[in-house]
Amino acid sequence: MAILADKNSKIIVQGMTGKQGMFHSEQMIDYGTNVVGGVTPGKGGEWVLGKPIFDTVMTAREATDANCSLIFVPPPFAADAILESIDAEIPLIVCITEGIPIQDMMRVRTLLDNSNSRLLGANCPGLLTPEQAKVGIMPGYISTPGPIGVVSKSGTLTYEAVFALTERGMGQTTCVGIGGDPINGTSFIDVLQMFEDDHETEKVVLIGEIGGNDEQNAAAFIEKHMTKPVVAFIAGRRAPEGKTMGHAGALVEGGQGTAAEKIEKFEAVGVQVAEYPEQIPDLLNNVN
Amino acid sequence: MQFDTILSLFEYFRWRIDLNLHEYQAKFRFAEFGIPIPRGKVAHSADEAVEIAQELGLPVVVKAQVFTGGRGKAGGVKLAKTMDEVKEHASNIIGMDIKEHTVHKVLIDPGANIKSEIYLGITNDRAARKPLIMCSAEGGMDIEEVNRTMPEKIIRVHVDPLLGLRGYQVTQLASGIDLPRNHWKQFSKIVQALYECYIGSDATLTEINPLAIIEEDGEEMLRALDGKMSIDENALYRHPKLADERDTSADPEEEIIAREADLSYVSLDGQIGCMVNGAGLAMATMDLTGIFGEEYGIGPANFLDIGGGAEADKVATALRIILAEPEVKAILINIFGGITRCDDVARGILQALDEVGTDLPMVVRLVGTNQEEGREIMEAANLPNLQTARSLYEAAQKAVEVVRKAMN
């Protein structure tokens, strides 16, 4: 078992004919991912990498029965691409695009909350279920099947942690990147619940960073709802303090979110926090 | 009065990433949406300040236009009751340094007879994923202190981004702060206008502090005496006019270069120049060099994230920025490729070294997409000062080690 995507997932790629979309679609197909088609407005009817291209997500879903859409669309059009997939009732939407305006994401998120779709990202590396499905840009070779669930806010830092696990013989059920944007589709808590419910996942690695209060919420959730052990890493211990202009940011709950604050919250609920990514496997060995 | 807020690096970046407007730019923008502001003007010299004061009539307020808080405390805001005072204050304030920011211009606003001061701000609440309007009758003073000691004095209303601001929500604000009823009609227009300005500008912050009840010609009315505004950099493509208004005079040159090349860069005070892809990994790299180097007084010289899909040119620009820092004793390049391809990075490093040239020791770690091609390119170049590393741990240790040698 895995979470979110496996070898039976049928994936379409929005923006498959673009440079990044093409490059990563090819890597996904080489990995053995079940890519069933692509969507590029105005290119419907063409074939790319041996897969059919459609003008709209709706027609792609009707023709291929896709249940997952991966988005490689430039930022000005990315919110529209997500909304199109919500409208086509795609159950899982994974958005790689970085730099979507925050007000676009506020509107997307509000619609998403009233839909049957789940969004991963935006600005995330996607997810990887080893030897089954690579939905996004995580390099496939860093990962191997096993009992560890990985959830991360970061992109490249996820690869670092997964690679460290694989080198030490600790395989993964699924590696999930939720993205580090202030407003995204899926939180740590959502994924922790999925790992808790997944029979194959025995232990979980959580990778966070400074900013916001998603990690603090995760710590509270772990204490109340998780029976499986969790090990964490928080990036940004050495971050310098900055200054801001207006006051509004400081008046919002969770506006600060320093590394020290997050580490303290995790340690208070018995979650060990690694000092550097390669220390994560050692800590996993210590928890049961 | 403004007070500084200490925020984390993330918020610092949000602030840096956002386009900040000066007080006068924010207020002029507010006025376009129908918010009443003082009819002030900007002066670049004391003579110009006097001309404006003659046009407005006395008294006037001379206000430094800088991107930092604490203007008032630092003497950057002064009331002038005579033309001599206008000249004196303007010449003192222009050229003054407020927290390392040099003042280049002042706003000359007509003086106002202030009865009371309201705080009104709109920002993104990331936890609620909605715009948040905050309002307090305790405006003008330290609103963060109010938040700490009397949070119930700040009325908060979340706006559904699909429905927009509703009339009853404005009533909640007006009644919540016990605003005298004779001001409700004007207050409602101002709140609606500020929300429209926030949405219509892709702002991450629109703030009026104070929104003052003033008395003019025997009549009481509301007026936005001070304003702040930040625009989401990611949305600037929809607001070319606002993008043109960017004042870069206060930014360090290398940060301007970095921004133009779409790199996230912050200068720190250590010796190891870091180039990393991805903010999280860049922070982890910074953290680990700091941990290993701590006992020797060695640490990261910068935070530099080349982002996803970095091409050779971008990498070359990043390397040039690092090499321009005189404190740098070694360079640590840590790339874990997903979108970024290691061969692109390798070509970028060689291109930059070709153009800039350096004898500084380098530790390079290339892992991920096209790593073999990347390593082959680096090895074929046969650089004498280059070490490679397989892991982050090893890379950080080697970087600290070469700096230790260089410092002895």
Side-chain angles (χ1 to χ4, degrees):
Chain A
M1 238 175 93
I3 65 166
L4 292 164
D6 59 22
K7 58 182 189 302
N8 298 318
S9 300
K10 292 178 181 172
I11 295 144
I12 52 169
V13 180
Q14 290 177 258
M16 190 169 177
T17 56
K19 190 185 169 203
Q20 298 294 353
M22 184 94 83
F23 178 80
H24 289 286
S25 294
E26 192 170 6
Q27 299 233 330
M28 285 163 58
I29 294 165
D30 287 349
Y31 190 78
T33 312
N34 188 19
V35 177
V36 295
V39 177
T40 301
K43 296 206 170 167
E46 294 181 15
W47 288 73
V48 167
L49 303 171
K51 311 291 175 190
I53 302 296
F54 302 88
D55 282 320
T56 68
V57 174
M58 195 73 92
T59 50
R61 200 208 67 189
E62 281 165 2
T64 64
D65 205 21
N67 56 12
C68 174
S69 179
L70 175 65
I71 298 176
F72 284 102
V73 170
F77 315 106
D80 201 56
I82 300 171
L83 294 176
E84 188 184 358
S85 271
I86 295 173
D87 185 54
E89 296 183 14
I90 301 285
L92 178 64
I93 306 163
V94 180
C95 184
I96 307 298
T97 310
E98 179 180 356
I100 304 177
I102 193 163
Q103 292 195 2
D104 286 4
M105 285 309 294
M106 288 197 286
R107 289 185 278 267
V108 164
R109 176 69 202 226
T110 305
L111 260 169
L112 193 72
D113 287 343
N114 297 309
S115 78
N116 296 318
S117 299
R118 167 170 296 289
L119 170 69
L120 208 57
N123 188 16
C124 80
L127 68 106
L128 180 60
T129 297
E131 293 182 2
Q132 295 197 48
K134 168 173 143 70
V135 188
I137 62 173
M138 287 191 208
Y141 77 92
I142 62 170
S143 178
T144 191
I148 313 291
V150 179
V151 58
S152 172
K153 233 190 203 181
S154 163
T156 46
L157 190 53
T158 318
Y159 315 159
E160 193 74 58
V162 171
F163 191 53
L165 292 174
T166 298
E167 289 222 305
R168 297 278 295 273
M170 297 178 168
Q172 307 89 38
T173 47
T174 302
C175 310
V176 184
I178 61 171
D181 278 359
I183 295 175
N184 61 9
T186 296
S187 68
F188 278 130
I189 290 176
D190 300 327
V191 182
L192 287 173
Q193 182 70 60
M194 290 180 225
F195 281 134
E196 176 71 12
D197 296 340
D198 175 45
H199 300 304
E200 281 180 2
T201 301
E202 291 169 12
K203 297 176 184 178
V204 179
V205 174
L206 182 153
I207 297 158
E209 49 188 57
I210 51 174
N213 58 358
D214 218 21
E215 290 83 355
Q216 295 89 316
N217 293 340
F221 178 86
I222 290 165
E223 187 182 28
K224 272 193 172 169
H225 304 289
M226 292 284 288
T227 59
K228 297 174 183 177
V230 181
V231 164
F233 175 78
I234 303 293
R237 285 172 191 252
R238 301 264 310 179
E241 288 166 335
K243 290 181 173 67
T244 187
M245 289 177 61
H247 295 287
L251 304 186
V252 179
E253 190 194 352
Q256 311 244 347
T258 62
E261 180 189 336
K262 296 182 182 208
I263 291 166
E264 192 191 312
K265 282 273 172 9
F266 277 125
E267 287 178 343
V269 299
V271 172
Q272 295 189 57
V273 183
E275 282 195 317
Y276 49 92
E278 289 128 337
Q279 198 186 26
I280 294 169
D282 299 327
L283 298 185
L284 280 173
N285 274 330
N286 293 340
V287 293
N288 282 300
Chain B
M1 200 181 285
Q2 302 299 320
F3 285 79
D4 289 326
T5 313
I6 304 302
L7 289 181
S8 65
L9 183 68
F10 181 87
E11 300 299 330
Y12 182 61
F13 277 132
R14 272 246 56 92
W15 175 69
R16 289 296 183 97
I17 286 166
D18 290 345
L19 163 64
N20 293 300
L21 299 186
H22 280 298
E23 175 197 358
Y24 76 90
Q25 293 169 317
K27 288 200 307 201
F28 292 172
R29 181 85 179 158
F30 292 166
E32 288 175 34
F33 285 83
I35 296 171
I37 61 163
R39 42 194 182 89
K41 282 186 179 171
V42 176
H44 298 82
S45 67
D47 289 341
E48 209 182 337
V50 170
E51 272 174 43
I52 295 167
Q54 278 163 347
E55 193 185 317
L56 296 174
L58 291 168
V60 295
V61 189
V62 183
K63 305 175 90 176
Q65 301 294 292
V66 276
F67 292 126
T68 182
R71 280 187 312 182
K73 264 189 180 172
V77 180
K78 294 272 185 198
L79 179 71
K81 290 177 181 156
T82 66
M83 286 304 163
D84 285 344
E85 280 182 4
V86 174
K87 192 157 190 170
E88 187 192 327
H89 293 325
S91 51
N92 285 342
I93 293 173
I94 295 171
M96 160 193 275
D97 278 337
I98 302 179
K99 292 179 192 158
E100 295 168 28
H101 293 261
T102 306
V103 181
H104 298 291
K105 44 196 162 192
V106 289
L107 175 65
I108 310 296
D109 263 355
N113 181 8
I114 301 170
K115 296 286 162 193
S116 68
E117 299 184 316
I118 296 162
Y119 171 91
L120 178 65
I122 308 179
T123 190
N124 310 320
D125 183 350
R126 59 187 281 176
R129 301 148 191 136
K130 288 180 170 72
L132 173 65
I133 305 187
M134 287 172 290
C135 191
S136 174
E138 314 290 328
M141 58 181 289
D142 186 355
I143 190 72
E144 286 170 44
E145 185 59 30
V146 175
N147 188 43
R148 270 187 298 272
T149 54
M150 306 173 283
E152 73 283 356
K153 295 267 185 189
I154 299 177
I155 309 301
R156 295 152 200 265
V157 169
H158 282 105
V159 181
D160 183 315
L162 300 178
L163 291 174
L165 179 63
R166 312 305 301 184
Y168 75 89
Q169 295 181 304
V170 181
T171 311
Q172 283 176 345
L173 294 172
S175 114
I177 64 163
D178 284 326
L179 182 72
R181 291 200 175 144
N182 53 322
H183 296 299
W184 280 26
K185 198 173 161 193
Q186 200 195 2
F187 178 76
S188 172
K189 276 189 185 162
I190 289 171
V191 179
Q192 291 281 0
L194 193 67
Y195 184 74
E196 272 162 37
C197 177
Y198 164 87
I199 294 292
S201 317
D202 270 297
T204 53
L205 169 78
T206 51
E207 186 177 79
I208 304 175
N209 189 26
L211 173 62
I213 299 177
I214 61 163
E215 195 186 298
E216 208 168 81
D217 306 325
E219 217 180 311
E220 276 194 3
M221 62 193 81
L222 292 168
R223 190 163 292 165
L225 294 190
D226 197 350
K228 291 206 175 348
M229 202 168 159
S230 304
I231 317 289
D232 181 359
E233 181 94 29
N234 286 337
L236 276 185
Y237 69 91
R238 317 196 255 237
H239 307 284
K241 238 181 85 186
L242 290 170
D244 286 345
E245 283 189 42
R246 186 197 294 276
D247 178 358
T248 56
S249 60
D251 298 355
E253 195 190 331
E254 59 271 26
E255 290 186 16
I256 298 170
I257 297 169
R259 183 165 51 224
E260 280 166 3
D262 201 19
L263 302 162
S264 305
Y265 168 85
V266 171
S267 181
L268 304 170
D269 51 12
Q271 307 81 0
I272 301 172
C274 301
M275 189 204 304
V276 188
N277 66 322
L281 189 57
M283 282 191 279
T285 306
M286 204 168 80
D287 293 350
L288 195 53
T289 52
I291 288 170
F292 287 150
E294 195 155 26
E295 57 180 303
Y296 316 110
I298 295 169
N302 63 281
F303 170 97
L304 200 161
D305 168 17
I306 59 171
E311 318 264 309
D313 281 349
K314 208 164 150 185
V315 174
T317 307
L319 202 52
R320 270 195 293 271
I321 292 169
I322 293 175
L323 290 173
E325 290 185 67
E327 305 301 315
V328 171
K329 299 272 187 297
I331 297 161
L332 169 56
I333 300 177
N334 183 22
I335 304 296
F336 212 126
I339 271 191
T340 307
R341 304 187 207 175
C342 293
D343 52 333
D344 278 344
V345 175
R347 273 189 288 272
I349 295 168
L350 297 181
Q351 185 187 322
L353 289 176
D354 245 14
E355 290 166 26
V356 192
T358 178
D359 297 329
L360 290 179
M362 293 173 76
V363 180
V364 178
R365 173 176 180 246
L366 300 175
V367 194
T369 307
N370 292 3
Q371 59 177 0
E372 296 310 326
E373 291 89 331
R375 283 187 196 143
E376 276 165 28
I377 292 169
M378 291 312 293
E379 275 163 24
N382 223 347
L383 299 167
N385 293 326
L386 183 120
Q387 297 188 58
T388 56
R390 304 293 287 194
S391 69
L392 168 57
Y393 190 90
E394 187 191 345
Q397 252 180 353
K398 280 185 171 171
V400 170
E401 199 52 43
V402 292
V403 172
R404 273 186 70 193
K405 276 187 194 151
M407 284 166 69
N408 285 331

